[in-house]
């Protein structure tokens, strides 16, 4: 289908997402403060930090789920760079259905549990105007295959799926419209390690194959080591260290990063 | 004879004014659900409290009222509402579609084409077409506001995936003038084409959910569908056993426990006037 094949000329000069001075307060407390970074096309950015460090708040602000108090989130849209914080809600939500994808930690938040797997994958297609049942179904079968779900499960509801399958279904549902930027909130949380490994392998393949940019929030350093090109370490709402993933993990400079790296349990 | 202890048509004038304002807004924005302060009516929710309030706000002493329940004029709901307005408003009542100026209906549109000047009032149980897919009212309002109607097709997709065809047979979602997706109340989808470009004013009242919406005359209404699974206005593949009509919506009536059954027009007025005009079906007076 034609909306699947929109190819975006990779412009290395303009960042896909440019964040400046992003601040979100919850009353007197800060959620995240003075965050700034550039994300270039095809790049995967990891955000790590302990619980309460503001990483989920930051992701919600970036994805438009929360309105930040200050700062700009400039996304390189088809019609040039635009500040997503000040753009009309209708446009922001349209972008959330087409150019963006959001993978929730709990697949129940990202899936419609009462709707079949095929319907879940097809929803975004129908939301942007697909009105041909046969084509929608074909695309759904194709995507279920890509995330390693057997085609004969297409009419089963997600309730009948295992946790790992639900998470893979959620990924298929999000990537079906060919987004350019994927937000992931703890995509492997709550899965056992062997399922995690398969999911990570799948994600890495999809991200490379589709040339996606992604922002991955996690507290699992192994996940970012595997997926992320660059890493931001957050603590107390601030970014305390950022750099290339290997550099940050192998040679942590900030005391908190050192603590984080040394806290990983070795088998 | 009007019961003098009630104001004309039961509701007080301020309430009728409030409802008329909601109706006017609904007419101005076809398909948009206007909230209104629904009153307690002397009948249970689900018996047409919304429709009754809309009818009460529209009635004048010169009106002729017809009440339909599932197409019939003589079933409980129709009889009780007709009596209610006879007692509280003293208006003339009729069973003939052509003589009525206001028709309150539950689950059917009359077979006889409506004309300019008539008002058709629907009783609506659940006005929100997206409700069973999206339980949050804040979210469905936002979806109407931003015209995000992809979810409605997910419902139809699920139908086809499960049954091989769009199995929704009543309450079939429609799009009004290319803008609002609207729940046409639980009329059979056979009646959906009659919603579009009707010369009559169509008003929808949901009492429990406190919503009023409207289709002004000659509003374009399209039933949602897929390119490869188009909308079909379905009915039982039979003729009426009493009047022989082949184009009217039929009720199936079980007549014994030996598998005997008959199909009759659900619109009793339509059937009766055809029989009076000499038409006859398989079991009709002339066909035996």
């Amino acid at each position: 289908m034609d909306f699947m094949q929109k190819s975006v000329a990779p412009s290395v000069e303009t960042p896909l997402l440019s964040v400046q001075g992003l601040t979100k307060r919850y009353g007197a407390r800060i959620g995240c403060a003075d965050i700034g970074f550039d994300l270039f096309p095809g790049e995967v950015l990891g955000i790590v930090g302990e619980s309460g460090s503001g990483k989920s708040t930051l992701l919600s602000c970036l994805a438009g789920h929360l309105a930040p108090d200050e700062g700009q989130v400039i996304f390189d849209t088809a019609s040039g760079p635009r500040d997503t914080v000040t753009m009309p809600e209708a446009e922001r939500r349209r972008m959330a259905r087409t150019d963006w994808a959001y993978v929730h930690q709990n697949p129940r938040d990202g899936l419609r549990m009462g709707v079949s797997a095929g319907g879940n994958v097809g929803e975004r297609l129908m939301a942007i105007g697909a009105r041909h049942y046969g084509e929608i179904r074909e695309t759904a079968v194709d995507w279920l295959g890509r995330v390693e779900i057997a085609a004969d499960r297409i009419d089963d509801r997600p309730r009948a799926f295992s946790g790992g399958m639900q998470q893979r279904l959620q990924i298929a549902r999000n990537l079906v419209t060919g987004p350019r930027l994927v937000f992931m909130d703890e995509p492997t949380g709550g899965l056992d390690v062997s399922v995690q490994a398969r999911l990570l392998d799948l994600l890495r393949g999809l991200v490379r194959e589709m040339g996606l940019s992604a922002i991955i929030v996690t507290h699992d350093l192994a996940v970012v080591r595997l997926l992320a090109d660059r890493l931001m370490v957050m603590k107390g709402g601030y970014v305390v260290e950022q750099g290339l993933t290997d550099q940050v993990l192998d040679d942590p400079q900030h005391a908190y990063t050192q603590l984080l790296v040394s806290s990983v349990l070795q088998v | 004879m009007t019961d003098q202890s009630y104001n004309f048509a039961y509701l007080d004038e301020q309430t009728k004014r409030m409802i008329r304002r909601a109706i006017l807004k609904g007419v101005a924005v076809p398909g948009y659900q206007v909230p209104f302060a629904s009153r307690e009516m002397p009948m249970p929710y689900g018996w047409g409290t919304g429709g009754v309030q809309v009818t009460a706000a529209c009635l004048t002493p010169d009106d002729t009222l017809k009440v339909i329940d599932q197409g019939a004029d003589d079933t409980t709901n129709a009889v009780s509402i007709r009596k209610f307005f006879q007692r509280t408003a003293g208006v003339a009542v009729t069973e003939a579609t052509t003589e009525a100026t206001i028709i309150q209906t539950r689950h059917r549109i009359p077979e006889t084409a409506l004309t300019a000047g008539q008002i058709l009032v629907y009783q609506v149980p659940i006005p929100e077409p997206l409700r069973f897919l999206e339980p949050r009212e804040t979210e469905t309002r936002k979806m109407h506001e931003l015209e995000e109607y992809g979810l409605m097709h997910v419902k139809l997709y699920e139908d086809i995936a499960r049954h091989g065809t769009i199995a929704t047979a009543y309450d079939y979602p429609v799009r009004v003038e290319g803008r609002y997706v609207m729940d046409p109340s639980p009329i059979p989808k056979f009646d959906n084409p009659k919603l579009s470009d009707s010369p009559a004013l169509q008003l929808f009242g949901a009492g429990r959910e406190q919503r009023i919406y409207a289709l002004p005359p000659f509003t374009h209404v399209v039933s949602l569908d897929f390119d490869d699974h188009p909308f079909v206005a379905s009915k039982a593949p039979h003729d009426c056993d009493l009047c022989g009509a082949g184009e009217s919506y039929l009720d199936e009536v079980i007549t014994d426990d030996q598998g005997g059954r008959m199909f009759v027009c659900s619109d009793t007025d339509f059937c009766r006037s055809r029989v009076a005009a000499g038409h006859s079906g398989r079991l009709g007076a002339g066909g035996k």
Side-chain angles (χ1 to χ4, degrees), chain A residues 54-66:
Chain A
K55 52 194 196 311
S56 290
T57 297
L58 172 60
L59 196 71
S60 298
C61 288
L62 296 178
H65 298 173
L66 278 178

Side-chain angles (χ1 to χ4, degrees), chain A residues 53-155:
Chain A
S53 61
K55 52 194 196 311
S56 290
T57 297
L58 172 60
L59 196 71
S60 298
C61 288
L62 296 178
H65 298 173
L66 278 178
D69 295 316
E70 287 166 30
Q72 293 175 308
V73 180
I74 297 165
F75 182 73
D76 186 22
T77 64
S79 56
R82 299 274 310 273
D83 187 354
T84 65
V85 176
T86 54
M87 77 167 37
E89 189 178 10
E91 270 182 69
R92 190 162 55 233
R93 284 175 64 122
R94 194 173 314 124
M95 220 150 63
R97 290 199 301 270
T98 53
D99 277 345
W100 294 350
Y102 195 101
V103 179
H104 292 262
Q105 172 175 9
N106 187 341
R108 277 155 209 276
D109 297 335
L111 292 171
R112 291 196 187 274
M113 299 305 282
V115 169
S116 69
N120 265 297
V121 177
E123 182 180 342
R124 274 170 78 111
L125 295 174
M126 292 183 247
I128 58 170
R131 290 291 179 265
H132 191 284
Y133 175 80
E135 284 171 10
I136 292 167
R137 200 158 168 89
E138 222 170 89
T139 314
V141 169
D142 175 42
W143 267 97
L144 290 181
R146 287 208 218 181
V147 297
E148 300 166 14
I149 296 176
D152 63 354
R153 302 297 302 271
I154 187 169
D155 291 331

Side-chain angles (χ1 to χ4, degrees), chain B residues 190 232-240 245-250:
Chain B
F190 175 81
V232 179
S234 61
K235 68 180 276 277
H238 295 274
D239 291 344
C240 174
E247 296 304 313
S248 72
Y249 191 74
L250 301 174

Side-chain angles (χ1 to χ4, degrees), chain A residues 93 97 116 131 133-134, chain B residues 139 142 148 158 162 227-228:
Chain A
R93 284 175 64 122
R97 290 199 301 270
S116 69
R131 290 291 179 265
Y133 175 80
Chain B
E139 185 65 18
K142 185 70 75 185
E148 292 180 0
E158 288 290 288
R162 209 161 297 161
D227 296 344
D228 48 347

